[in-house]
Amino acid sequence: MSQISALTALELRDALHRAEISAREASEHYLARIQELNPGLGSFVTITAERALDAATRADEHLAAGGPLGMLHGMPLAYKDLLDVAGVVTGYGTAALEPAIAPRDSPLVATLTRAGAISLGKTQVPEFGLSSHSENDVSPPARNPLNRALSAGGSSGGEAAAVAAGMLPFGPGNDGGGSVRIPASACGLIGLKPTLGTIPADVLDGRVDSFGAPRLTVSGPLARTALDAALLLDAMIDPSCETTLEALSGGAIESLRGLRIGISTLSPFASLYEIRLAPEAHAALAAGIKALGTRGHHLEEAEIFYDTAYPETFSTVWTSGLAAAPIPAGREEKLGTLARSFRERATARERNTSLAAAVRLGEIAADMRTQWGRYDVVLTPAMAHTPPEIGFYTGQDADTDYMRQCQYTPFTSMVNVSGLPAITVPTFTTAGGLSMGVQMIGRAGSELQLLALAAQISEM
């Protein structure tokens, strides 16, 4: 029992399938870890222990009766407090909305439940998932397990902190501007943002937003190993097929060699903000280059040029949806500084401005895909510097908050705009024990290749 959280997610899944560990034992173990560690880390905002144990008991009874087992039979996990879990409160990290009990599961939650996963609760997010941290005015901030004075990143920061601290074996996140990759990098995990459309639940409402801009948000796994990430990715795509995991386990890692990898430290935000890489970011990039070179890949400096209209265009598209947020009359003053300011701007903006920005962002996306497409993979630093302290963003006015987020995460949102996949992988540990890493951007549908590269780096 004491060793369950030391297992990889894949090892735990296999032990559950072999009945070496019961679903109830697994849930009880992780719930005990949450009770012990969550008060100091702020990962969970809601813990559904009784529901989880009931579901685990049913899973064990199903196994004992000889029923077919789902891909994630008995696996404990949790969901960001942006996704609905039927019968559980969804708060969205805001004081402007009254927390409401969800009548039904979000599509991704329904998919993973069908796969046999057991939810232990809801994890911390920034208000409406807007930010690269996980702090809000409703509940304690998600803290970094590597240093509790620091941010766990966001918006999947509660999820990442829980996985990194051993409160969960792995976790589903979603990523609209880096929200899987940022906290994964901050907490020393692997974080995968898939190609838009890889996970069917992400495109049930189409591939563009209401203004015609590229849909930015996709779901993706946060995990300690590439194989764990592959397992969760497969369950998110189709719980009946372990396509990615089988390929990785069947030689895809060892056989992958000779890729043309372009190295870039240029950010599309550099036309507006000063983007400065800390020594730790350079060290992490150098370590990634060395690891990939050792595995027989060809690395070169990439020639990439970003449209100077990107910062303003992205900001317009990113904030446009706030105008439609269902904030009840008289409750806008309960919004946090960033959300309130950006909602006011979005509400005052003429619709034609948002429509024009959507078209322009689509053009920028096409240009990035063309430029990056000259390489098999584009390699960038994951983050520009080590995770900042709690309050680094939220103690500022909205524009300074946003600027600081862009300066910490200068390489992530552009991938969401492009619709392409990307993965962040730890490559370097600082003298203070913090994790830094690299990001790899792939071609459409190259999740298997990115996970194989992540495994190669992790093995070095």
Side-chain angles (χ1 to χ4, degrees), residues 285-306:
L285 181 61
I289 291 169
K290 180 179 179 180
L292 292 168
T294 300
R295 297 304 292 249
H297 302 295
H298 308 296
L299 293 102
E300 61 188 85
E301 291 294 326
E303 292 187 6
I304 296 173
F305 306 93
Y306 292 116

Side-chain angles (χ1 to χ4, degrees), residues 329-409:
R331 295 189 67 92
E332 289 199 353
E333 68 275 6
K334 293 184 178 294
L335 289 168
T337 301
L338 182 76
R340 183 171 61 253
S341 177
F342 278 42
R343 175 177 163 84
E344 289 170 354
R345 299 177 202 187
T347 303
R349 188 180 299 137
E350 292 186 1
R351 179 172 174 80
N352 285 342
T353 301
S354 294
L355 291 171
V359 172
R360 190 74 185 92
L361 198 65
E363 295 169 347
I364 292 172
D367 179 58
M368 290 191 295
R369 289 192 295 268
T370 297
Q371 293 195 64
W372 295 344
R374 295 196 293 265
Y375 309 92
D376 295 310
V377 172
V378 173
L379 179 72
T380 76
M383 300 298 126
H385 55 79
T386 54
E389 293 185 352
I390 298 291
F392 177 75
Y393 305 105
T394 55
Q396 311 299 319
D397 62 85
D399 288 326
T400 302
D401 179 343
Y402 182 72
M403 177 187 71
R404 288 185 170 187
Q405 292 188 53
C406 295
Q407 289 173 323
Y408 174 51
T409 68

Side-chain angles (χ1 to χ4, degrees), residues 222-238:
L222 297 107
R224 288 178 287 164
T225 73
L227 292 178
D228 287 354
L231 172 62
L232 185 51
L233 176 67
D234 282 339
M236 290 172 153
I237 296 171
D238 180 355

Side-chain angles (χ1 to χ4, degrees), residues 418-438:
S418 75
L420 297 177
I423 195 166
T424 52
V425 189
T427 58
F428 178 73
T429 302
T430 71
L434 301 179
S435 181
M436 294 289 286
V438 295

Side-chain angles (χ1 to χ4, degrees), residues 149-371:
L150 305 182
S151 171
S155 64
S156 306
E159 198 81 13
V163 175
M167 289 186 275
L168 294 172
F170 54 16
N174 51 27
D175 188 317
S179 290
V180 164
R181 291 160 290 150
I182 296 163
S185 181
C187 296
L189 303 172
I190 289 173
L192 174 66
K193 174 220 168 291
T195 308
L196 177 65
T198 293
I199 296 174
D202 292 337
V203 290
L204 294 177
D205 294 326
R207 293 172 178 265
V208 297
D209 68 14
S210 59
F211 295 99
R215 189 170 294 281
L216 301 177
T217 301
V218 299
S219 306
L222 297 107
R224 288 178 287 164
T225 73
L227 292 178
D228 287 354
L231 172 62
L232 185 51
L233 176 67
D234 282 339
M236 290 172 153
I237 296 171
D238 180 355
S240 68
C241 302
E242 293 185 7
T243 307
T244 313
L245 180 60
E246 288 179 359
L248 286 180
S249 303
I253 299 170
E254 293 74 15
S255 64
L256 183 61
R257 309 185 76 82
L259 295 181
R260 185 188 184 200
I261 300 177
I263 306 163
S264 177
T265 57
L266 183 63
S267 166
F269 285 111
S271 60
L272 179 62
Y273 302 128
E274 179 184 10
I275 305 299
R276 184 186 310 165
L277 295 184
E280 296 88 348
H282 284 292
L285 181 61
I289 291 169
K290 180 179 179 180
L292 292 168
T294 300
R295 297 304 292 249
H297 302 295
H298 308 296
L299 293 102
E300 61 188 85
E301 291 294 326
E303 292 187 6
I304 296 173
F305 306 93
Y306 292 116
D307 194 315
T308 57
Y310 179 88
E312 181 178 356
T313 306
F314 173 76
S315 177
T316 298
V317 169
W318 182 70
T319 59
S320 289
L322 284 171
I327 308 299
R331 295 189 67 92
E332 289 199 353
E333 68 275 6
K334 293 184 178 294
L335 289 168
T337 301
L338 182 76
R340 183 171 61 253
S341 177
F342 278 42
R343 175 177 163 84
E344 289 170 354
R345 299 177 202 187
T347 303
R349 188 180 299 137
E350 292 186 1
R351 179 172 174 80
N352 285 342
T353 301
S354 294
L355 291 171
V359 172
R360 190 74 185 92
L361 198 65
E363 295 169 347
I364 292 172
D367 179 58
M368 290 191 295
R369 289 192 295 268
T370 297
Q371 293 195 64

